[in-house]
Amino acid sequence: MDNSLSIFSLILSAGFVVQVMMFILVLMSIYSWTLILSKKKILIDTNKDIKLFHQKFSANVDLEKLAHQTLQKATNQSSMERIFSTGYQELTYTISNSNQALIIDAERAYRVMNTTANNEVDRLDSGLSILAMIASSSPYIGLFGTVWGIMHSFIGLASVKQATIAIVAPGIAEALIATAFGLFAAIPATIAYNRLISQVGSINNKYTAFVEQLFVMFQRQK
């Protein structure tokens, strides 16, 4: 291959607008990979915390004792510990004697746990909308760079008496690189978004099941 048509030389010789589009797409790709790796670590840690808490929860049927242990970690609680502790605190906030009051306490704790669980899911979900935006917009940004580059290539042909493939090819190749950059940013972001959103949904299901389980236990406890 002629060195003049190498990828690197085509990038350097591309028009200003095309180079700007490429630079934006590189930044978007770097940001998306940073977000993907950090979010993946958070989800792995969250699943690990859920598993560890379930082991502790299954081995300790004394809710009061478990609540005491959990509240001692007030500033370093896992998501499951926060859901449990907020629910148990709400359950024991008042001393109830009548059956109706006991039911109300359990239902109030249930609502608080659901709110805490939703907040935890929102925390896990944060940033994924940006990943979806990168996945959907990158191809169009790359396409814009391509269209702009091809347009200027054809405008340049107006000053040429005889157009040949040797004259047309470099300009079109420069423009098409922008599309390649767009796909390079979009494909990993799309795959990662679908994968991560699925994992967040799975964790949300675990939170929901845990809240329902606690609600039943709180009703028996009272």
Side-chain angles (χ1 to χ4, degrees):
M1 180 185 290
D2 190 341
N3 290 334
S4 64
L5 291 181
S6 67
I7 300 296
F8 185 70
S9 63
L10 288 174
I11 293 173
L12 292 179
S13 60
F16 176 74
V17 173
V18 177
Q19 286 183 337
V20 169
M21 295 299 103
M22 292 179 188
F23 180 71
I24 291 173
L25 289 168
V26 168
L27 291 180
M28 292 173 70
S29 179
I30 292 173
Y31 182 81
S32 68
W33 275 107
T34 302
L35 184 60
I36 289 167
L37 294 176
S38 63
K39 189 63 66 174
K40 184 65 177 177
K41 183 180 184 305
I42 290 172
L43 293 179
I44 290 174
D45 291 342
T46 300
N47 276 312
K48 182 179 178 181
D49 289 338
I50 291 173
K51 184 177 180 180
L52 290 175
F53 185 82
H54 268 304
Q55 292 174 349
K56 185 192 301 181
F57 184 76
S58 300
N60 193 347
V61 294
D62 190 342
L63 296 182
E64 183 177 357
K65 181 179 179 181
L66 182 60
H68 179 71
Q69 294 174 351
T70 302
L71 291 173
Q72 287 181 328
K73 300 169 56 179
T75 59
N76 192 30
Q77 292 179 341
S78 67
S79 56
M80 295 287 275
E81 288 173 335
R82 278 190 288 271
I83 294 171
F84 171 73
S85 61
T86 54
Y88 191 84
Q89 282 180 302
E90 191 64 33
L91 180 73
T92 58
Y93 183 75
T94 58
I95 300 176
S96 306
N97 295 320
S98 66
N99 290 333
Q100 185 64 30
L102 300 179
I103 294 175
I104 293 174
D105 287 344
E107 290 178 346
R108 193 173 63 246
Y110 176 73
R111 289 193 294 271
V112 169
M113 288 188 294
N114 270 322
T115 300
T116 305
N118 290 334
N119 291 337
E120 293 297 326
V121 172
D122 289 341
R123 180 180 64 85
L124 296 175
D125 197 47
S126 64
L128 292 184
S129 59
I130 298 177
L131 196 62
M133 182 193 69
I134 292 174
S136 61
S137 63
S138 294
Y140 294 103
I141 295 174
L143 182 61
F144 174 79
T146 297
V147 171
W148 185 275
I150 292 177
M151 181 181 67
H152 276 262
S153 294
F154 280 107
I155 290 174
L157 289 177
S159 60
V160 179
K161 293 182 179 180
Q162 183 178 1
T164 63
I165 190 65
I167 296 176
V168 177
I172 294 179
E174 292 169 7
L176 289 175
I177 290 176
T179 297
F181 272 63
L183 295 175
F184 180 77
I187 292 174
T190 302
I191 295 173
Y193 174 78
N194 291 330
R195 179 61 178 164
L196 293 174
I197 204 69
S198 174
Q199 291 178 348
V200 170
S202 176
I203 290 174
N204 184 34
N205 291 336
K206 293 177 182 178
Y207 287 159
T208 301
F210 180 61
V211 169
E212 295 290 341
Q213 181 184 5
L214 276 179
F215 180 49
V216 173
M217 295 184 70
F218 284 171
Q219 288 178 315
R220 294 174 178 172
Q221 180 83 358
K222 299 296 281 185

